[in-house]
Amino acid sequence: RRKARALALTAVVALLVSANALWYLPARLGPMKGLFGVSRSRLDPFLTEAAQQITPALVFVHPEHWREYDVLLELSNPYLDAPFVFAYSRGSAVDYAIMAKMSAGRGVYHYYPDEPWRLYTAPR
């Protein structure tokens, strides 16, 4: 009797996990694609041949919302040795302090997500 109960419980749990994986999760995760405007297409301006030619680059991002900056971090790394290093623009004083520390050997650009295909050499 004890084995039958354990087997039945295992079967019920397996059925519930399978139902979740096959029906519930796809229905819930599907609408989350591109949620809050976060999508891989936001990386496209930095994956072009023209963008790769300006590397290594320090890019100050001037976003309306932090998610416009956050999505770009996939192209960078914590060791700051990636072709692109992104910095969240916090005003000219902070930006110049970051430039003084990190711009050696790197081009400095300013990126505005409302104009995704254009990099500026000075803040607009």
Side-chain angles (χ1 to χ4, degrees):
R1 184 175 185 138
R2 193 175 267 168
K3 282 186 177 185
R5 187 181 304 170
L7 185 60
L9 181 62
T10 301
V12 168
V13 169
L15 178 68
L16 291 175
V17 169
S18 298
N20 181 43
L22 294 174
W23 292 289
Y24 184 74
L25 276 178
R28 295 290 294 162
L29 293 178
M32 290 185 185
K33 184 175 183 174
L35 187 65
F36 302 118
V38 175
S39 70
R40 189 154 183 83
S41 66
R42 295 216 182 223
L43 302 177
D44 290 346
F46 297 96
L47 300 176
T48 65
E49 186 67 34
Q52 295 300 315
Q53 290 176 0
I54 65 168
T55 60
L58 171 62
V59 180
F60 287 98
V61 181
H62 301 263
E64 291 290 322
H65 193 274
W66 66 268
R67 286 185 296 257
E68 296 168 333
Y69 163 75
D70 181 46
V71 72
L72 298 173
L73 293 179
E74 182 176 332
L75 298 176
S76 192
N77 67 31
Y79 303 109
L80 305 176
D81 60 0
F84 291 103
V85 173
F86 295 97
Y88 193 107
S89 179
R90 302 252 183 215
S92 60
V94 175
D95 291 355
Y96 286 122
I98 292 171
M99 273 192 276
K101 290 183 180 181
M102 298 181 58
S103 66
R106 292 185 174 274
V108 177
Y109 300 94
H110 295 266
Y111 174 72
Y112 295 86
D114 60 346
E115 290 184 82
W117 296 95
R118 185 168 183 187
L119 291 174
Y120 291 88
T121 55
R124 65 177 186 186

